């Protein structure tokens, strides 16, 4: 008998809100890769009542593999530690011993209804700069939140080369070699071999030192909420790290897909804000940024190829042909962006990517059919 996890989380949401199970006021589950999330109404007497009419109940999806290194044991504890240090992040209250609730930020995601590459407004650009500056002002010893990474796997403050080297190693060992082992045949068909990260690792050794700060680690349009007053809020801090502040800029540029002119403006905003908060924290940023961007592009290849295979698999390990064009477009774009890391001048065409997935599924079916 299988456990209805969604019902369990929903019952937890209802209990937290003090409502009867099945109350239609509970919204969800919301779309999201890492967590199952429900939004619940809050009584007026609740600790969040003054700032939030609703709260979020979240539980990690069972059996989920994380494609990114994580640093903190609890997003809620981190958000509580950021109170008074970072503006416009969700409020946290403890509704029962060990049970914490996030305030739900009412509004729309930054990317809803607009082109993915649309520039930020001057107001939102200023507020993004404020966010960068507030995070840069937080030193590594100022966050007293339990960490889940082992002490021997942490990098000394300022060792930007070591910080990126550990990210590269995580992607190569945990994502590609271990989690991606069943997909190695697919990677080979797409021209991504076991040595794809070696050149990038050598480039990472030349990164200059920068003092470490808090970094969000996932600053894309869906993690920014524009509230009813037009202000920009930052949500989903579960991938936050203590590390090189330049990593946040690179991740943001990679995920936002700005046109070149807007990229330059965002770089100026980042440099002004971070240098103002932590003098010396932008040292060498211009020559090191392309290296971290190259890592983010390579990371996307591994993530998109594996997630693409999972999205295409129907019961019986058969291929979902209807979803293939959408998956192939995403993977082809990731391969094209990461051509320098793959060591190949050209990326596979859309037709070649589709053919690689189809061939890989056929090969799997033959192996399955011949198994005793």
């Amino acid at each position: 008998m299988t456990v209805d996890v969604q019902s369990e989380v929903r019952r937890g949401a209802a209990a937290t809100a003090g409502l009867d199970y099945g109350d239609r006021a509970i919204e969800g589950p919301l779309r999201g890769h890492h967590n199952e999330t429900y939004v619940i109404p809050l009584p007026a007497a609740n600790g969040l009542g003054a700032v939030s009419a609703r709260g979020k109940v979240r539980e990690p999806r069972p059996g989920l593999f994380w494609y990114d290194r994580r640093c903190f044991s609890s997003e809620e504890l981190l958000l509580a530690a950021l109170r008074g240090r970072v503006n416009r992040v969700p409020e946290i209250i403890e509704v029962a011993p060990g049970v914490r609730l996030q305030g739900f930020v009412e509004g729309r995601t930054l990317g809803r209804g607009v082109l993915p590459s649309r520039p930020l407004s001057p107001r939102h650009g200023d507020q993004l700069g404020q966010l960068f500056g507030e995070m840069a002002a937080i030193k590594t010893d100022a966050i007293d939140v339990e960490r889940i990474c082992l002490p021997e796997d942490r990098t000394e403050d300022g060792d930007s080369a070591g910080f990126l080297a550990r990210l590269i190693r995580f992607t190569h060992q945990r994502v590609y070699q271990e989690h991606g082992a069943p997909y190695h045949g697919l990677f080979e068909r797409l021209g991504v071999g076991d040595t794809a990260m070696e050149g990038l690792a050598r480039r990472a050794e030349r990164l200059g030192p920068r003092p470490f700060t808090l970094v969000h680690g996932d600053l894309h349009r869906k993690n920014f909420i524009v509230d009813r007053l037009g202000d920009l809020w930052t949500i989903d801090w579960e991938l936050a790290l203590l590390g090189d502040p330049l990593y946040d800029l690179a991740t943001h540029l990679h995920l936002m897909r700005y046109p070149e002119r807007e990229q330059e403006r965002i770089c100026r905003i980042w440099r002004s804000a971070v240098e103002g908060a932590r003098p010396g924290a932008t040292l060498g940023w211009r020559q090191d940024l392309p290296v971290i961007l190259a890592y983010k592009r390579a990371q996307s290849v591994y993530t998109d190829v594996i997630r693409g295979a999972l999205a295409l698999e129907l019961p019986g390990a058969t291929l979902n042909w209807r979803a293939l064009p959408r998956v192939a477009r995403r993977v082809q774009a990731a391969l094209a962006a990461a051509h320098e890391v793959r060591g190949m001048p050209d990326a596979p065409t859309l037709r070649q990517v589709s053919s690689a997935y189809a061939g890989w599924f056929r090969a799997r079916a033959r192996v399955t059919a011949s198994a005793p």
Side-chain angles (χ1 to χ4, degrees):
M1 178 178 177
T2 60
V3 178
D4 188 349
V5 177
Q6 184 177 100
S7 294
E8 290 295 327
V9 179
R10 184 182 176 92
R11 276 193 287 270
T16 302
L19 301 171
D20 293 331
Y21 171 68
D23 193 297
R24 294 184 180 181
I26 298 176
E27 180 183 343
L30 303 185
R31 294 184 62 182
H33 178 72
H34 295 114
N35 299 288
E36 182 182 338
T37 303
Y38 291 88
V39 179
I40 59 176
L42 297 176
N46 193 286
L48 289 176
V51 293
S52 299
R54 299 192 291 171
K56 287 196 298 188
V57 173
R58 318 176 73 185
E59 290 291 340
R61 297 189 185 279
L64 179 72
F65 179 81
W66 294 76
Y67 292 85
D68 298 84
R69 281 189 66 195
R70 297 173 63 208
C71 180
F72 298 105
S73 62
S74 167
E75 180 187 8
E76 283 71 29
L77 287 175
L78 174 61
L79 285 169
L82 296 184
R83 184 176 298 166
R85 299 175 177 178
V86 179
N87 287 300
R88 294 185 299 279
V89 297
E91 290 280 341
I92 298 294
I93 61 165
E94 188 166 2
V95 295
V99 180
R100 297 172 182 85
L101 193 65
Q102 286 192 37
F104 183 72
V105 182
E106 304 286 352
R108 60 172 179 83
T109 59
L110 182 63
R112 193 174 73 186
V114 301
L115 294 175
S117 60
R118 180 177 177 178
L120 294 185
S121 68
R123 179 178 184 174
H124 292 159
D126 289 343
Q127 292 179 342
L128 176 64
Q130 181 184 10
L131 174 67
F132 283 140
E134 289 169 341
M135 289 191 292
I138 299 175
K139 299 181 179 180
T140 56
D141 60 356
I143 299 293
D144 186 19
V145 177
E146 180 186 9
R147 297 173 65 179
I148 57 176
C149 54
L150 298 174
E152 58 267 26
D153 197 36
R154 301 171 191 172
T155 315
E156 289 190 12
D157 191 351
D159 183 8
S160 299
F163 174 74
L164 183 57
R166 280 168 169 77
L167 293 175
I168 293 172
R169 186 166 65 240
F170 176 89
T171 299
H172 181 68
Q173 294 180 352
R174 293 279 289 118
V175 179
Y176 174 72
Q177 291 186 332
E178 297 177 24
H179 183 65
Y183 310 97
H184 282 180
L186 176 58
F187 279 110
E188 291 174 3
R189 290 172 183 267
L190 294 169
V192 181
D194 190 57
T195 62
M197 300 288 270
E198 290 181 359
L200 184 56
R202 289 192 293 270
R203 293 174 64 189
E205 294 174 356
R206 298 192 290 271
L207 260 63
R210 278 173 292 276
F212 283 5
T213 68
L214 176 70
V215 297
H216 180 280
D218 200 23
L219 291 175
H220 58 76
R221 292 184 186 274
K222 291 183 180 179
N223 284 343
F224 288 116
I225 303 295
V226 180
D227 70 13
R228 292 166 179 172
L229 298 177
D231 288 324
L232 200 64
W233 291 65
T234 309
I235 63 171
D236 288 359
W237 289 77
E238 56 202 354
L239 298 184
L241 298 166
L242 296 173
D244 185 354
L246 188 58
Y247 180 71
D248 248 350
L249 175 63
T251 301
H252 181 69
L253 295 178
H254 171 68
L255 296 174
M256 295 291 280
R257 294 186 290 164
Y258 292 124
E260 184 175 351
R261 184 173 180 179
E262 180 68 358
Q263 285 193 38
E264 286 297 320
R265 183 173 78 99
I266 297 301
C267 286
R268 291 194 299 271
I269 288 173
W270 174 86
R271 186 179 183 281
S272 175
V274 172
E275 192 65 26
R278 289 286 295 281
T282 67
L283 183 67
W285 76 274
R286 180 67 75 175
Q287 58 264 35
D288 290 348
L289 178 60
V291 183
I292 306 178
L293 279 171
Y295 163 69
K296 295 304 299 183
R297 292 169 185 142
Q299 182 190 35
S300 287
V301 168
Y302 291 109
T303 301
D304 289 346
V305 168
I306 296 173
R307 284 182 176 171
L310 293 171
L312 290 173
E313 186 169 350
L314 293 173
T318 57
L319 173 62
N320 183 347
W321 288 95
R322 292 182 62 182
L324 181 57
R326 172 180 54 82
V327 169
R329 283 192 297 271
R330 183 177 182 88
V331 171
Q332 198 276 335
L335 289 166
H339 68 89
E340 60 178 312
V341 179
R342 294 170 52 250
M344 296 183 178
D346 298 312
T349 64
L350 191 61
R351 184 172 183 177
Q352 288 171 329
V353 173
S354 297
S355 183
Y357 273 100
W360 182 72
F361 270 92
R362 284 195 298 268
R364 287 180 70 211
R366 287 194 296 268
V367 170
T368 303
S370 62

